Amino acid sequence: LCDFGEAEIRAIHNVSTERFLSGDPHAQGFFGKLFDLVLRNEMSHPLKRRQGLDGNGKPHIDNVHFKSDPDEILSEEQLLRFFDFPPEFVDDLTVKHANVLNSLPDYVPSFYAGDGYAIVGGGHYSWYSLLAVKCLRIAGAVLPVEVILPTHDDYEPLLCETMLPLMNARCVDAENIFGKHRLDQMKISGYQLKSLALLASSFRNVFLMDSDSYVVTNPEPLFKSE
């Protein structure tokens, strides 16, 4: 279980958004316990074919079958032939998922506040992120944007200190949020960084965008839509 004492909860509750973003030890300890929980529940029967990543950090895709007839209806039985989940994988993942879910603390940190967008940057994705922010502003979106940088080395002064602030956006260093040793321990990379970005963003209501997805209309009504 993620067991937080009253004093520990009070300390976390007093962490402001700015302290969280700059690297607060109480916040890092909070996330450290969550990371430990995930590591203790690593899968015993992972799908080996999904563990290999290509040069862009993306998982290898299983066989793809193209249907030429748009009116052909695919049954569940037909679809199950394309991707096979062994029963030991399903059973193991079901138990591990329940372990994590049931052990999460019943507490939402107060350093999450407001509405905004989160985009994973770093390397050439930082350039894509800049274009994504520009498209948001052209479409009329005004909410703040946080570009989540996976490492200190991804920080670019021109981007983070000059260009993004002009568009109500800023860089967030994931190593500040979680601690470098914790991120190294988790070995998070590629598409997995998207889930990390949701934790690293300071927004309570956050719209996660891919860095290479560019809006063609203002998405901000979604923040108030039922």
Side-chain angles (χ1 to χ4, degrees):
L1 290 174
C2 280
D3 185 22
F4 293 91
E6 291 186 12
E8 197 170 4
I9 291 293
R10 282 198 301 271
I12 298 170
H13 190 70
N14 290 328
V15 176
S16 66
T17 300
E18 292 307 316
R19 281 175 53 191
F20 160 69
L21 291 172
S22 62
D24 182 87
H26 298 295
Q28 290 179 357
F30 177 82
F31 288 115
K33 286 193 173 184
L34 299 184
F35 289 169
D36 286 340
L37 174 63
V38 171
L39 289 172
R40 289 197 303 271
N41 286 279
E42 284 188 306
M43 288 184 292
S44 302
H45 302 281
L47 291 179
K48 297 297 183 182
R49 63 179 182 270
R50 294 287 290 176
Q51 289 186 304
L53 303 180
D54 63 20
N56 294 318
K58 298 182 183 298
H60 294 297
I61 303 301
D62 285 79
N63 292 332
V64 177
H65 187 78
F66 292 97
K67 289 289 185 180
S68 58
D69 183 357
D71 296 322
E72 183 177 357
I73 297 176
L74 289 173
S75 67
E76 180 181 1
E77 181 182 0
Q78 288 174 298
L79 290 172
L80 285 173
R81 296 176 192 160
F82 299 143
F83 198 94
D84 174 45
F85 291 106
E88 63 270 16
F89 164 79
V90 175
D91 293 342
D92 179 55
L93 185 57
T94 300
V95 170
K96 300 299 174 57
H97 179 266
N99 287 345
V100 172
L101 191 64
N102 294 333
S103 299
L104 291 176
D106 185 19
Y107 173 74
V108 178
S110 57
F111 46 71
Y112 291 128
D115 304 335
Y117 305 89
I119 307 174
V120 177
H124 61 275
Y125 293 108
S126 291
W127 167 242
Y128 295 159
S129 298
L130 177 63
L131 298 180
V133 175
K134 288 178 71 71
C135 286
L136 277 170
R137 300 310 180 223
I138 292 171
V142 298
L143 288 174
V145 181
E146 291 179 337
V147 177
I148 313 301
L149 304 177
T151 71
H152 290 319
D153 293 339
D154 293 311
Y155 186 88
E156 300 180 45
L158 178 61
L159 175 72
C160 298
E161 299 171 19
T162 302
M163 301 178 76
L164 287 179
L166 291 174
M167 295 182 288
N168 191 23
R170 63 181 169 186
C171 294
V172 172
D173 187 336
E175 288 188 358
N176 280 347
I177 302 294
F178 306 110
K180 184 179 185 307
H181 70 289
R182 279 295 187 179
L183 293 181
D184 290 343
Q185 184 184 28
M186 293 294 291
K187 297 182 174 65
I188 294 175
S189 63
Y191 67 96
Q192 298 168 332
L193 291 167
K194 296 177 184 181
S195 58
L196 197 73
L198 289 171
L199 292 176
S201 170
S202 69
F203 304 122
R204 187 177 182 90
N205 301 307
V206 57
F207 188 122
L208 179 66
M209 291 180 55
D210 275 1
S211 59
D212 55 357
S213 294
Y214 309 120
V215 303
V216 295
T217 188
N218 187 350
E220 290 183 5
L222 293 173
F223 281 92
K224 297 181 180 179
S225 169
E226 290 297 328

